[in-house]
Amino acid sequence: MEFRKLGIVGGGTMGKCLAEKAASVGIDVVVVEVSQDKADRARQELVAALDRELEKWGITASEKKVVLARVRFTADPGELAATDVVVEMVTEDLGTKRKVMKQLGELCPPDRVLVTNTSTLSVTEIAAASGRPDRVLGMHFMRPITRTPVVEMVRGTATSDATYEHALALAHALEKTPIRVAERPGYVVTRVILPLLNEAIQVVQEGVASAEDVDLALRLAHQFRVGPLEYADRIGLDKVLGWMEHLHRELGGERYKPCLLLRELVEAGHLGCRSGRGFFVYEGRRRASGCGKEAAR
């Protein structure tokens, strides 16, 4: 199955990352934002991200040029009707996602497959707002989408076999390994990783070890590319807190009850990499130089 044009709703970090990945494998992309100002800003941020990769020899100048030529940012949602499939990548909020899915159901042809990118929410509830739940399913992409080779595939109650096969073809076109998961809170990846993050935060709160040493110990012991606390910073501590609260409501138990230190950091505005401070201090998207640059004690 050939995918010539991908529609993306939401030009945030995940939306831009998916756009870059799709463009790099030869798919044209249209990214829709709520205003032209936001669309222009998203494009500038994509250029900056590509420049950072260029500096690290992660991509070539030619590859950067190709990506930018294939990705277009706009505030006109009507352009989504001409795409082969549409992926919504707006904030992880049920009301917001249902509103977007309702708009997509009204804008796009009846046979168009619509994808919701969610890590914790009910695909069935989101799909119902589209008016065509049989043509909707969930694909949970992991950051960074350009490098992480897995995607969770989540069928809603009404998702048809044809829709699922279409989405599987998209996953393969994007060079992802699809993992079929049942529609349960947190699926696999989020459900398993959150207790680890919460326990790492608890260890710091109790003074067992510093944030730096907790991450160092787990990186060396288990061959993690980054430690759990830096990983949480890069996700965004507010997002981690929101996911934990949602799973705590849905599943109960102590393992998803957010650690007090996590709440305190979020309430103080220390959200991680995005705000420049979380468990560690950041300059742009990079950890500040110096082994002991910790913000959380």
Side-chain angles (χ1 to χ4, degrees):
M1 186 177 297
E2 183 181 5
F3 292 90
R4 294 167 298 176
K5 195 170 188 178
L6 176 69
I8 298 174
V9 180
T13 301
M14 294 293 281
K16 290 192 295 289
C17 206
L18 178 60
E20 180 184 346
K21 179 60 181 178
S24 73
V25 297
I27 302 172
D28 290 335
V29 184
V30 57
V31 181
V32 175
E33 260 293 358
V34 294
S35 69
Q36 193 56 50
D37 283 347
K38 285 196 172 184
D40 293 341
R41 192 176 313 125
R43 187 182 190 282
Q44 292 167 2
E45 290 168 353
L46 176 59
V47 172
L50 292 171
D51 284 339
R52 287 193 294 271
E53 285 298 305
L54 193 59
E55 290 175 6
K56 296 186 294 184
W57 300 91
I59 59 172
T60 65
S62 295
E63 288 170 333
K64 172 190 171 183
K65 185 176 180 180
V66 166
V67 167
L68 292 177
R70 287 186 175 141
V71 181
R72 198 162 66 79
F73 293 85
T74 180
D76 181 9
E79 295 193 27
L80 296 170
T83 60
D84 298 314
V85 62
V86 181
V87 182
E88 71 78 12
M89 307 197 80
V90 299
T91 185
E92 186 79 345
D93 173 77
L94 182 61
T96 303
K97 287 185 179 292
R98 281 178 55 84
K99 180 179 178 181
V100 169
M101 199 57 68
K102 181 176 185 295
Q103 293 171 337
L104 292 176
E106 295 167 350
L107 280 170
C108 297
D111 63 343
R112 187 71 71 252
V113 169
L114 308 176
V115 174
T116 177
N117 176 60
T118 176
S119 57
T120 59
L121 301 176
S122 167
V123 172
T124 296
E125 288 187 69
I126 296 169
S130 71
R132 61 175 87 171
D134 61 311
R135 302 298 288 170
V136 181
L137 87 163
M139 293 179 73
H140 177 209
F141 293 96
M142 320 299 166
R143 66 175 67 202
I145 298 173
T146 49
R147 294 194 296 273
T148 306
V150 66
V151 60
E152 290 182 315
M153 310 289 293
V154 192
R155 294 180 71 147
T157 301
T159 303
S160 70
D161 290 342
T163 296
Y164 186 74
E165 291 300 319
H166 193 83
L168 276 179
L170 176 61
H172 290 135
L174 293 171
E175 301 175 337
K176 302 297 180 187
T177 299
I179 305 298
R180 181 170 181 168
V181 299
E183 188 183 24
R184 298 291 185 273
Y187 315 131
V188 174
V189 174
T190 304
R191 185 167 175 172
V192 171
I193 198 65
L194 286 182
L196 171 63
L197 301 184
N198 207 33
E199 191 62 25
I201 297 168
Q202 184 68 36
V203 166
V204 174
Q205 179 177 302
E206 292 177 5
V208 175
S210 68
E212 184 74 35
D213 284 344
V214 167
D215 270 16
L216 180 61
L218 287 166
R219 282 196 296 108
L220 296 180
H222 297 293
Q223 301 179 42
F224 292 169
R225 187 172 59 85
V226 296
L229 300 175
E230 182 175 346
Y231 181 70
D233 275 353
R234 293 191 178 280
I235 293 172
L237 300 185
D238 52 336
K239 291 182 181 180
V240 173
L241 176 60
W243 293 345
M244 285 186 183
E245 290 176 333
H246 177 76
L247 291 187
H248 190 243
R249 288 193 300 270
E250 293 289 326
L251 300 172
E254 291 297 308
R255 57 187 167 161
Y256 297 112
K257 184 178 180 181
C259 180
L260 178 60
L261 177 57
L262 175 62
R263 290 190 182 280
E264 290 175 345
L265 287 170
V266 172
E267 289 170 1
H270 302 324
L271 309 181
C273 187
R274 189 171 76 253
S275 68
R277 181 177 179 181
F279 286 97
F280 304 99
V281 177
Y282 299 85
E283 296 170 351
R285 297 291 299 177
R286 298 175 182 174
R287 281 272 299 274
S289 60
C291 185
K293 286 283 187 176
E294 297 180 30
R297 298 287 180 178

